[in-house]
Amino acid sequence: MRVAIAGAGAVGRSIAGELLENGHEVLLVDKAPTAISVERVPQAEWLLADACEITSLDEAALQRCNVVIAATGDDKVNLVVSLLAKTEYGVPRVVARVNNPKNEWLFNESWGVDVAVSTPRLMSALVEEAVSVGDLVRLLRFSHGDANLVELTLPPESALAGTQVGDVAWPEDTSLVTIIRGSRVLTPSPEETLEAGDELLFVAAQAREEQLEDLLSVRREGPLD
């Protein structure tokens, strides 16, 4: 997979390093000569250019990229890069960094953003996830389809503890993607039995989050429907 990253600061270089370790092809783009530190990520391609300029993105061959990551420290730049990547080059997946939480509402499909990553929101979510049992925690927002990555730790009093995944009538527009049980990461097969303390990760429509939380958190009498 080919990935272009706009912004070669600490964040961009860190992302590049992780992607390269996983076998991906990475291009780092930055307009500041001081940011071009090839020796720090020698396996990556580097381009000294303004990622907000069409000519620069032509040089970067953005049309060949599977993913573009707008990772600069300037929200305006990240929005412009996202919009150009999506509308001018048809990049399938655009991920954008949100620096100022007040600007988060702008990072949506209208600006070409598929996934918006807000560090303050993510840190807050991780704190909530660490201390919350039975409460739904939103970890990541996906712009297309108004879907979110959410987590809920199954409490002992949940009606679903001891129930097989395939026997649960999950809400519409909701998909259980992972079960984390201690140090194990489980693929949720229909035969897998849910246990109290399981961390359940879902991709769910925002409109279904309350219904999902009610289903998982409350012990009820009668059938699971």
Side-chain angles (χ1 to χ4, degrees):
M1 182 172 69
R2 180 174 173 80
V3 182
I5 302 173
V11 173
R13 293 195 306 271
S14 178
I15 297 169
E18 292 283 344
L19 291 172
L20 287 164
E21 286 184 10
N22 290 326
H24 301 296
E25 180 184 348
V26 177
L27 168 67
L28 281 160
V29 183
D30 204 297
K31 67 178 182 179
T34 54
I36 305 300
S37 304
V38 178
E39 68 282 356
R40 295 191 179 185
V41 193
Q43 304 96 329
E45 298 176 46
W46 290 78
L47 178 62
L48 176 61
D50 186 344
C52 292
E53 297 288 343
I54 289 289
T55 53
S56 300
L57 300 181
D58 285 343
E59 187 177 355
L62 227 63
Q63 70 278 3
R64 295 198 295 110
C65 292
N66 306 100
V67 180
V68 165
I69 301 173
T72 78
D74 188 323
D75 285 345
K76 295 187 295 295
V77 170
N78 291 342
L79 286 170
V80 171
V81 170
S82 298
L83 185 62
L84 292 175
K86 184 66 71 174
T87 60
E88 297 296 325
Y89 298 91
V91 176
R93 195 71 165 166
V94 177
V95 180
R97 171 188 177 188
V98 184
N99 296 279
N100 187 339
K102 293 181 179 179
N103 297 329
E104 189 173 1
W105 66 278
L106 287 166
F107 286 74
N108 54 40
E109 60 184 349
S110 298
W111 281 92
V113 178
D114 295 305
V115 181
V117 181
S118 169
T119 301
R121 177 181 290 277
L122 183 57
M123 291 179 69
S124 174
L126 291 173
V127 169
E128 290 182 41
E129 186 273 335
V131 300
S132 300
V133 175
D135 294 328
L136 184 143
V137 178
R138 190 179 299 163
L139 298 175
L140 196 64
R141 177 173 61 82
F142 301 99
S143 296
H144 288 298
D146 196 28
N148 299 310
L149 176 66
V150 300
E151 184 271 352
L152 189 143
T153 300
L154 197 65
E157 65 273 15
S158 172
L160 298 190
T163 304
Q164 290 189 336
V165 170
D167 292 335
V168 181
W170 302 108
E172 293 183 8
D173 304 320
T174 299
S175 177
L176 175 62
V177 294
T178 304
I179 300 172
I180 301 174
R181 182 175 297 154
S183 60
R184 301 173 62 198
V185 178
L186 307 175
T187 300
S189 67
E191 296 77 24
E192 186 66 49
T193 299
L194 299 172
E195 298 181 5
D198 283 350
E199 293 182 51
L200 308 178
L201 271 67
F202 297 86
V203 173
Q206 187 167 332
R208 301 295 182 181
E209 290 180 1
E210 184 176 351
Q211 184 180 353
L212 180 62
E213 186 172 21
D214 289 344
L215 173 67
L216 293 167
S217 301
V218 180
R219 177 167 289 283
R220 302 175 299 161
E221 302 297 331
L224 301 174
D225 54 17

